[in-house]
Amino acid sequence: PDGALYAGFFGDGIYKSTDGGQQWKPVKAGLGDSFIVSLLVDAEGTVYAGTVRGGVFRSEDGGQNWIERTEGLTSSQVPALAMDRHQTLYAGTGAGVFVSRDGGRHWTAANEGLKMMLVRSIAMSPTGTVFIGTAGNGVFKSQDAGKSWQPMNKGLTDAAGMRENYIRSLTISRDGDLYAGSFGGGVF
């Protein structure tokens, strides 16, 4: 909300720019893991960082100080973070999806219909549907805030006829179309 840019680095923590990316300064105080794999800034300016070994960290002061927020997480690897319009926070982890309704202070597993799997990406539709991309099991959706999940892998086949089940990234267009970036088979 204040125009700041944040960049997470794999092995070097988080940097912040307040001048459109011209200059960057480290913002790492209290950050217990320097391997950053996801970042999220909410409407109030609270910054969340997903890490490889330390779970989720939260900063309420623009990244100056970080607090570990892992109560209830059973996996320390958090490659995806997203927030819905109701301020529910979703963490894609090495053990599926976890949900927090109190700003990351407490997490609960939200894996009904999922096997234990690495969730690589999360996308939120304007209608409230949550989509996840997994490492090995394709794409799933939840229309009840993560209480249950259904696979949606029809058509995820590359030019060679191979099923693409490793989904690295998801995004939703302004028109509501879901795009899935796969590990080696292109974009669907």
Side-chain angles (χ1 to χ4, degrees), residues 153-174:
N153 295 314
K154 186 175 182 180
L156 286 178
T157 307
D158 67 14
M162 300 292 293
R163 180 174 177 261
E164 288 298 324
N165 56 12
Y166 193 108
I167 306 301
R168 283 188 164 276
S169 61
L170 292 173
T171 192
I172 298 176
S173 73
R174 291 178 202 220

Side-chain angles (χ1 to χ4, degrees), residues 2-3 10 13 17 28 43 55 61 68 73 79 95 105 108 137 153 164:
D2 63 359
F10 197 76
S17 175
K28 307 176 187 182
D61 59 5
E68 182 179 358
L73 285 178
R105 289 174 184 85
T108 56
N137 291 300
N153 295 314
E164 288 298 324

